Structure formats: structure tokens, C-alpha cells
Amino acid sequence: MLRVLALVSGGGTNLQAIIDAVAAEKIQNAELVGVISNNKTVKSLERAKNAGIPAFSVSPKDFENRELFYEAFLDKVNECRPDLIVLAGFLVAIPPKMVAQYSGRIINIHPSLIPSFCGVGYFGLKVHEKALERGVKVTGATVHFVTEGMDEGPIIAQKAVYIEDNDTPEILQRRVMEQAEWILLPQAIDDIANDRIEIRDGKVIRK
Ligand code: GRF
């Protein structure tokens, strides 16, 4: 059983998609062993508790500086003994020490087709605002391994979503979630749990 730890910051609809996929056995050979948020009050923690998954929060507000927060956060991560860490709407940059310790074992979902609309400052609604501003006709979502560079790691899977003329950032965000994110992320976890993919020369290939 692959021990999966989810890191979250917000509403947790991607977390819910993972919880549901495990329950429906669409994800096999994996169990959610914990959920950690950087925010004490988010809906994600409630979703975890409702599903009987240990839920924790480690908030930067409780620490004197960023270093101490990162240290406590990494301690909590290590306590969960994860085989795979899933950033499911996690808005904190992963410190290099953690990336190094869990190299090849952290994945992230990003709500655009990387390398478009990604990198520093591209998170949440901003991503969709920028896509609409540019007038692209197709966007989507990407699941990728996490490396030190923001949104730069090997791409595991992508799914395209069409933009419609009257889209607002909120409408588009919802469509990207429904048509891409909630499908891609559970699939990627299932692929990793069942040893179907590997990284070769910086790219993800199917075995
Ligand atoms: C998603 O759009 C995800 O791609 C991005 O943050 C959002 C999180 O939504 N990284 P939720 O908390 O899973 O509902």
C-alpha cells in the first residue's frame, strides 16, 4: 500500500476527488495516511476528518519566522511517513530541503497546461484570469512532479479544457476542475501506486 499524504490550503475539492476515488477503488494500492494544511480553518481539514483521515494544521502564524515554520512542517510530514506527497491546492512553496528529501515523491496539480500560465504568482483564480486576458481558446490542468523550480518538474499528465466566450475566471476555474483536475490527480496517484510510470531523462514515461 502506497502511503499518500495530502497537503492542502483551501476548499479541498481535489482532496475530495482523491478520497472518493480511493473509496470507489479507482485508486488502488494506496491509502490516505494524513492531510496537513498550513491553515487551521479550511474546509479541507473537515473533509479529511469526515473521511476518517488524520488531519493536522501547521500554520506559519504560530512561528517566529519562516525557517521555524518550515522545520515544524517538515517534522509533521515526516511523522506521517509518506511514500507519496500530493499537493492538492497547497499554496506554500515547498522548501528545497523537503524537495530533496522527497525527490520524485511529491506531485502537484496546476490549473493550466504547463508551461502556459504557471510559475511564481500563478495560483488560484489568477491562472484563469491570465488565460482569459490572453484570449487563449484552450486551457486545462497539469499534474507534475515537484522539483525546486516552481511548476518546472516532469509532467505526468495533462488534460485540455475549452474556453467559452462568456467565461469568467470563476466559471472557467470550475470547468477546469470538473473536466480535468478531479480526473487527472486521482489517475496520477493510481499510476504511481501501481508502478505504471517512471522518470527518464527528466520526462515521465509509461512503463
Ligand atoms: C486548484 O485549482 C488547484 O489546481 C490549485 O488550487 C486549486 C485548489 O482547489 N493548485 P481545491 O482546494 O482542491 O478545491
Side-chain angles (χ1 to χ4, degrees):
M1 276 288 194
L2 189 85
R3 296 174 60 83
V4 179
L5 170 68
L7 306 186
V8 295
S9 297
T13 61
N14 278 288
L15 171 66
Q16 192 64 53
I18 300 168
I19 293 171
D20 294 347
V22 170
E25 295 179 17
K26 287 183 185 161
I27 297 177
Q28 297 196 338
N29 299 317
E31 57 176 336
L32 267 164
V33 295
V35 174
I36 309 177
S37 173
N38 59 311
N39 190 332
K40 287 176 195 166
T41 54
V42 289
K43 176 116 203 271
S44 321
L45 292 176
E46 216 179 291
R47 293 180 192 271
K49 284 178 196 153
N50 289 341
I53 301 161
F56 313 95
S57 66
V58 182
S59 164
K61 290 180 190 148
D62 295 334
F63 299 89
E64 254 174 51
N65 58 47
R66 205 71 183 165
E67 275 316 299
L68 291 174
F69 160 66
Y70 275 143
E71 222 170 86
F73 198 89
L74 186 53
D75 282 350
K76 185 53 82 183
V77 167
N78 289 336
E79 260 175 44
C80 295
R81 293 184 294 112
D83 299 313
L84 178 70
I85 297 172
V86 178
L87 311 186
F90 187 58
L91 298 179
V92 176
I94 303 297
K97 188 175 168 196
M98 184 167 149
V99 175
Q101 187 185 336
Y102 289 97
S103 169
R105 292 189 288 152
I106 310 178
I107 65 173
N108 179 46
I109 179 95
H110 183 78
S112 75
L113 294 174
I114 290 175
S116 289
F117 311 113
C118 65
V120 178
Y122 283 86
F123 60 88
L125 267 187
K126 192 89 199 159
V127 179
H128 305 293
E129 275 166 28
K130 290 285 178 190
L132 291 176
E133 235 172 78
R134 183 61 187 87
V136 292
K137 303 302 178 203
V138 180
T139 184
T142 303
V143 186
H144 63 92
F145 283 105
V146 172
T147 54
E148 270 200 41
M150 178 86 76
D151 298 330
E152 286 176 3
I155 292 171
I156 300 169
Q158 295 186 298
K159 196 163 186 294
V161 173
Y162 285 107
I163 289 179
E164 294 174 13
D165 285 343
N166 295 321
D167 276 350
T168 62
E170 290 79 7
I171 291 172
L172 183 56
Q173 179 181 51
R174 183 76 192 179
R175 189 179 314 116
V176 169
M177 283 176 161
E178 284 175 357
Q179 295 185 7
E181 295 185 47
W182 300 340
I183 301 163
L184 280 187
L185 191 55
Q187 264 173 6
I189 297 169
D190 186 53
D191 281 341
I192 292 168
N194 294 286
D195 207 18
R196 290 190 204 105
I197 59 171
E198 67 184 5
I199 303 174
R200 203 184 289 167
D201 298 331
K203 291 185 188 130
V204 174
I205 54 158
R206 299 221 145 233
K207 288 186 177 172

